[in-house]
């Protein structure tokens, strides 16, 4: 039997020029998770992360805080989908960030307006009915599932630092057998939350989703972007 702990990266820099950089809160979330996992006696055989900076820095922060003597391995299949490409395909005018910001600013609640627009954009992408994307939804889900099988191969525990979209498709597939609710799952994935998958004689089994008790002593630490 093997165990895969899927960790969503810490809070990134939403609204900044470079989203792919952890905020101060994101670094704190990684450290809190590392200490919590070490306190529970988790000793992974491997730590793997996608190629994005926010994933790599979260993994490094978890390992340092946990004081694990383990190497960090990169697997590009754990990278998140290109959210900017998905948005731009839905609304080409938003290739100019100033246009998107101006549109959102005209609403009563810009953050809610962004979430609504993003849900519409990802629904369009995941329908498979439209062309023009850098990566199709089918390709994205295939690489996520391939990455999970690779991480589950062997024995012991593998900690994987990835992103909400990847966790969303894996959770939807294992929980419901289809991808119909992957977007809803993605939307509620907590930064540094942990989803646990066990690989045994019956195959891959999801046993928990989005655990974030390491953050609950400070509600401000619970973030979703």
């Amino acid at each position: 039997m093997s165990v895969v702990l899927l960790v969503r990266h810490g809070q990134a820099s939403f609204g900044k020029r470079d989203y792919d950089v952890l905020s101060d809160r994101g670094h704190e979330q990684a450290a809190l998770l590392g200490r919590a996992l070490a306190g529970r006696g988790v000793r992974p055989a491997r730590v793997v992360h996608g190629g994005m900076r926010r994933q790599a820095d979260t993994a490094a922060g978890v390992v340092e805080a946990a004081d694990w003597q383990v190497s960090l391995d990169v697997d590009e299949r754990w990278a998140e989908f290109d959210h900017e490409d998905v948005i731009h395909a839905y609304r080409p005018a938003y290739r100019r960030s100033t246009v998107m910001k101006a549109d959102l600013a005209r609403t009563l609640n810009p953050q809610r307006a962004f979430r609504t627009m993003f849900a519409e954009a990802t629904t369009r992408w995941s329908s498979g009915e439209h062309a023009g994307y850098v990566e199709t939804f089918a390709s994205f889900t295939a690489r996520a599932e391939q990455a999970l099988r690779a991480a589950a191969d062997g024995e012991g525990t593998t900690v994987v630092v990835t992103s909400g979209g990847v966790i969303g498709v894996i959770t939807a597939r294992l929980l419901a057998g289809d991808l119909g609710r992957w977007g809803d799952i993605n939307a509620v994935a907590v930064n540094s939350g942990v989803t646990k998958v066990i690989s045994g004689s019956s195959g891959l089994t999801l046993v928990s989703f989005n655990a974030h008790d390491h953050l609950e002593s400070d509600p401000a630490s619970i973030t979703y972007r």
Side-chain angles (χ1 to χ4, degrees), residues 201-221:
S201 58
S202 59
L204 296 169
T205 303
L206 179 78
V207 295
S208 64
F209 166 67
N210 212 26
H212 54 279
D213 47 299
H214 57 288
L215 304 176
E216 291 183 336
S217 62
D218 178 8
S221 294

Side-chain angles (χ1 to χ4, degrees), residues 6 145 148 167-179 185 195-198 203-208:
L6 301 174
E145 291 168 3
L148 177 62
I167 294 170
V169 298
I170 288 172
T171 299
R173 181 72 82 190
L174 294 179
L175 191 62
D178 63 63
L179 300 173
I185 296 169
T195 295
K196 185 175 182 179
V197 176
I198 291 178
L204 296 169
T205 303
L206 179 78
V207 295
S208 64

Side-chain angles (χ1 to χ4, degrees), residues 3 30 37 39 55 57 66 81 105 116 120 122 142 171 173 176 184 193 209 219:
V3 175
L37 292 175
Q55 298 168 339
D57 288 351
F81 65 90
T116 299
E120 293 169 351
T122 53
T171 299
R173 181 72 82 190
D184 296 328
F209 166 67

Side-chain angles (χ1 to χ4, degrees), residues 83-107 110 112-122 124-125 130-133:
H83 73 279
E84 291 184 346
D85 178 63
V86 169
I87 291 172
H88 297 165
Y90 176 58
R91 291 191 178 170
Y94 285 179
R95 293 183 185 277
R96 296 176 59 189
S97 61
T98 54
V99 174
M100 183 176 74
K101 289 178 181 179
D103 279 358
L104 296 176
R106 283 191 287 268
T107 68
R112 180 180 298 170
F114 176 83
R115 290 195 296 270
T116 299
M117 180 273 295
F118 187 68
E120 293 169 351
T122 53
R124 180 183 189 272
W125 175 55
H130 305 274
Y133 293 101

Side-chain angles (χ1 to χ4, degrees), residues 11 25 28-29 32 215-224:
Q11 184 188 59
R25 176 73 71 186
E28 178 187 10
Q29 290 164 336
L32 287 169
L215 304 176
E216 291 183 336
S217 62
D218 178 8
S221 294
I222 301 175
T223 62
Y224 300 89

